[in-house]
Amino acid sequence: MQSRNIVFIARSLDGYIADKNGGLDWLNTTPNPDHQDMGYEKFIKSVDAIVMGRTTFETVCSFDIEWPYKIPVFVLSFSLESLPEDYKDKAEIVKGSLSDILEQIHKKGYRQLYIDGGVTVQNFLKEDLIDELIITTIPILLGGGTPLFGELPREMEFEHVESVLYLDALVQDSYRRKR
Amino acid sequence: MQSRNIVFIARSLDGYIADKNGGLDWLNTTPNPDHQDMGYEKFIKSVDAIVMGRTTFETVCSFDIEWPYKIPVFVLSFSLESLPEDYKDKAEIVKGSLSDILEQIHKKGYRQLYIDGGVTVQNFLKEDLIDELIITTIPILLGGGTPLFGELPREMEFEHVESVLYLDALVQDSYRRKR
């Protein structure tokens, strides 16, 4: 099966993934009484490993919840030497250029990769390494914060795959890189 | 009928309304052999005047086409004293604060307003004067350019109205300000 790097992320209508204070409360402004998962379970079953940046890793660790992933997690970090003891069986640090890292991960047999975290997504995009974007738009203007997208050395076209409406409020658009 | 200020605009997947060179060619990357108008005619019939910034006015004037509007156009400008002779029967300069300008326009009987142009949209949003956003997303990452949205003094929630797919590629989302 072909390797694929996939982004699955929520952004505000004005393109932020965290608000001006780094907060994520705005993700839950739409009432969700039945705990609709916005396609997350279906998506997570379609990938076989997760690649995230250190900030995202630390954010997940800071949540007062059980470790949420059942598949291997690779944490991109130049600065971290080792993971906290509690996470050593859950995640693994990877270092090097993105192509080196992908080669390491592919050699371990993981080819359908969930790429997560703002900086990591931007770095993958800079090297044109993202194959699919699944973006859920929350109908709120934050007016500032951490942007999903950043500067790119060149334009990249995508194909529209599908759009799904959740909770009568959130539009989830899937795009595939046109190559 | 209630007054409404409506934005109808296209942006790239990463939120730009013009590319790094101010160009708009990327708007036409999707083949459109039947000249599908992406809902423009229907939209323009739903408004009774257009409010645009000077830059947008000058951009429209620079296109090598007939004047494209059949309804009154109000050009927001602090610097322009008068319009070029050719445009005097087509558009009118308005000056003052946005609330003053809206009052002037409402007094003339125009209440369903198409608000156009990047800076103008941002200025209306800063004062929470936009009631509807109709945004068509072009499936391309530009990696830089003129952003549709800017800094806002506070968050603003919207309701999803509808999403329409054009040319199997462009998603047009309509949102209404939640008040």
Side-chain angles (χ1 to χ4, degrees):
Chain A
M1 200 175 181
Q2 215 189 336
S3 303
R4 285 183 316 158
N5 299 324
I6 311 162
V7 172
F8 182 97
I9 206 159
R11 67 165 171 186
S12 66
L13 194 46
D14 49 353
Y16 299 102
I17 57 171
D19 68 22
K20 287 177 186 175
N21 306 311
L24 299 173
D25 290 349
W26 55 277
L27 287 171
N28 305 309
T29 41
T30 304
N32 186 5
D34 299 329
H35 307 287
Q36 167 64 257
D37 79 348
M38 326 292 168
Y40 179 78
E41 275 304 317
K42 184 181 161 213
F43 165 72
I44 205 78
K45 281 183 181 144
S46 77
V47 293
D48 44 36
I50 303 171
V51 179
M52 62 173 64
R54 183 181 51 82
T55 313
T56 304
F57 172 72
E58 288 174 351
T59 303
V60 175
C61 294
S62 77
F63 291 150
D64 191 19
I65 53 167
E66 294 250 321
W67 183 246
Y69 307 115
K70 291 176 188 136
I71 55 178
V73 171
F74 296 94
V75 182
L76 287 171
S77 176
F78 289 106
S79 58
L80 276 184
E81 281 304 319
S82 67
L83 295 177
E85 206 57 47
D86 286 2
Y87 294 97
K88 283 200 169 154
D89 58 337
K90 300 181 173 80
E92 175 176 337
I93 294 173
V94 281
K95 284 176 192 291
S97 69
L98 292 188
S99 52
D100 285 350
I101 286 166
L102 286 174
E103 202 184 319
Q104 291 169 46
I105 297 174
H106 291 163
K107 270 192 188 150
K108 292 182 194 229
Y110 307 117
R111 306 193 77 88
Q112 308 301 311
L113 306 179
Y114 171 14
I115 311 299
D116 200 22
V119 176
T120 302
V121 168
Q122 290 192 10
N123 284 338
F124 271 73
L125 281 170
K126 275 181 194 154
E127 299 188 28
D128 198 1
L129 291 171
I130 294 297
D131 303 291
E132 287 187 37
L133 288 168
I134 304 172
I135 300 173
T136 305
T137 300
I138 314 294
I140 187 169
L141 295 178
L142 295 177
T146 310
L148 170 54
F149 294 109
E151 292 283 315
L152 295 173
R154 61 188 178 95
E155 298 181 1
M156 286 181 244
E157 283 187 57
F158 285 76
E159 286 167 28
H160 179 266
V161 177
E162 64 170 349
S163 295
V164 180
L165 181 66
Y166 289 106
L167 304 176
D168 215 21
L170 317 186
V171 182
Q172 184 177 85
D173 300 299
S174 303
Y175 294 98
R176 192 182 298 123
R177 178 74 172 104
K178 216 182 234 181
R179 299 205 192 266
Chain B
M1 199 174 182
Q2 214 188 335
S3 303
R4 285 182 319 157
N5 299 324
I6 312 162
V7 173
F8 183 94
I9 206 160
R11 68 163 170 188
S12 67
L13 194 45
D14 48 353
Y16 299 103
I17 57 171
D19 68 23
K20 288 176 186 177
N21 306 311
L24 299 173
D25 290 348
W26 56 276
L27 287 171
N28 305 309
T29 41
T30 304
N32 186 4
D34 299 329
H35 307 286
Q36 165 66 255
D37 79 347
M38 326 291 169
Y40 179 78
E41 273 306 317
K42 185 181 161 211
F43 165 71
I44 205 79
K45 281 183 181 144
S46 78
V47 293
D48 44 34
I50 303 173
V51 180
M52 60 173 66
R54 184 182 50 82
T55 314
T56 304
F57 172 72
E58 289 175 351
T59 304
V60 175
C61 295
S62 76
F63 292 149
D64 189 18
I65 53 168
E66 294 248 323
W67 183 246
Y69 308 113
K70 292 176 189 135
I71 54 178
V73 171
F74 296 96
V75 182
L76 288 171
S77 177
F78 288 107
S79 58
L80 278 182
E81 282 304 322
S82 67
L83 294 178
E85 206 56 47
D86 285 2
Y87 295 97
K88 283 200 168 153
D89 59 336
K90 299 181 173 80
E92 174 176 338
I93 295 173
V94 282
K95 285 177 192 288
S97 68
L98 293 187
S99 53
D100 285 351
I101 286 166
L102 286 174
E103 204 184 319
Q104 291 169 45
I105 298 174
H106 292 164
K107 270 192 187 150
K108 293 180 192 231
Y110 308 115
R111 307 193 75 88
Q112 310 300 310
L113 306 179
Y114 172 14
I115 311 299
D116 200 22
V119 175
T120 302
V121 169
Q122 290 191 11
N123 285 339
F124 270 74
L125 280 170
K126 275 180 194 154
E127 298 186 29
D128 198 2
L129 291 170
I130 295 297
D131 303 293
E132 286 187 37
L133 287 168
I134 304 173
I135 300 173
T136 305
T137 301
I138 314 294
I140 189 170
L141 295 178
L142 295 177
T146 310
L148 170 55
F149 294 109
E151 293 283 316
L152 295 173
R154 60 188 178 97
E155 298 181 0
M156 287 182 245
E157 283 186 56
F158 284 76
E159 284 167 30
H160 179 266
V161 177
E162 64 170 349
S163 294
V164 181
L165 180 67
Y166 289 106
L167 305 175
D168 215 21
L170 317 187
V171 182
Q172 185 175 85
D173 300 299
S174 302
Y175 294 97
R176 192 180 300 124
R177 179 75 171 105
K178 217 182 234 181
R179 299 206 192 264

